[in-house]
Amino acid sequence: MTDASEIRWLNEEQDFTWRAVWSLMTWLPTKLDQQLREDSGLSLYEYYALSQISEAPNRSIRLSELAGIANMTLSHLSRVISRMMKAGWVERIVDPEDGRYTLGVLTDAGWDKVEEIAPGHVEAVQQAIFDQLTEEQARALGETAARVAEAVSPHGEVTGPPKGR
């Protein structure tokens, strides 16, 4: 057990920051999930999985890799992929390079769905985040969030590095 004199209590500014981060982690996903459900009937997790497959080389990704990127258990991802398969947006195939793995492959209908949904989702992200910040604040937020994400991510990195950086 930790000696009470060794506890690093949060000071007032740290407490404010922690509460702001907690609120951000709680309410931003809720807001984006609500927009996606209203506009497309998809959850934030479903859209994120679909978009990550769409951004992968050849619109194909190992499901175990996707689970890690999306922070989903394999069983949760399996349910998400099954729903997307029923809709005709994704196929499961055995990885031709290593048969121990299964790939999630985006279909043409899945690509069409991403193109349909993405503009509304991106607008919701713009409104919720970037419309609230100056360019300098947005850059600082990105750098700060990346630093924390790298410290807590089991992969030690931010998923989907920005293009051109």
Side-chain angles (χ1 to χ4, degrees), residues 39-112:
D39 289 0
S40 67
L42 291 178
S43 71
L44 183 57
Y45 274 109
E46 290 168 330
Y47 175 75
Y48 192 68
L50 198 61
S51 70
Q52 290 301 302
I53 298 170
S54 78
E55 294 176 3
N58 302 316
R59 297 183 187 149
S60 172
I61 190 169
R62 285 181 175 170
L63 294 182
S64 55
E65 181 182 349
L66 179 58
I69 291 169
N71 193 23
M72 285 189 235
T73 63
L74 281 172
S75 63
H76 182 194
L77 179 61
S78 181
R79 290 188 300 275
V80 166
I81 294 295
S82 292
R83 284 192 296 271
M84 291 192 285
M85 286 176 64
K86 284 181 185 174
W89 302 329
V90 175
E91 295 175 342
R92 277 187 182 117
I93 64 167
V94 174
D95 186 340
E97 294 179 16
D98 188 337
R100 296 175 295 171
Y101 296 98
T102 302
L103 300 176
V105 180
L106 196 69
T107 64
D108 289 341
W111 178 251
D112 292 344

Side-chain angles (χ1 to χ4, degrees), residues 103-161:
L103 300 176
V105 180
L106 196 69
T107 64
D108 289 341
W111 178 251
D112 292 344
K113 190 66 175 174
V114 170
E115 285 188 317
E116 173 192 329
I117 300 170
H121 176 66
V122 170
E123 180 58 29
V125 169
Q126 288 283 3
Q127 289 175 10
I129 301 172
F130 299 103
D131 290 354
Q132 312 309 314
L133 305 172
T134 65
E135 284 185 36
E136 184 177 311
Q137 289 170 326
R139 188 171 15 268
L141 176 61
E143 291 168 357
T144 302
R147 178 120 184 201
V148 174
E150 289 166 356
V152 299
S153 166
H155 310 291
E157 63 187 7
V158 174
T159 59

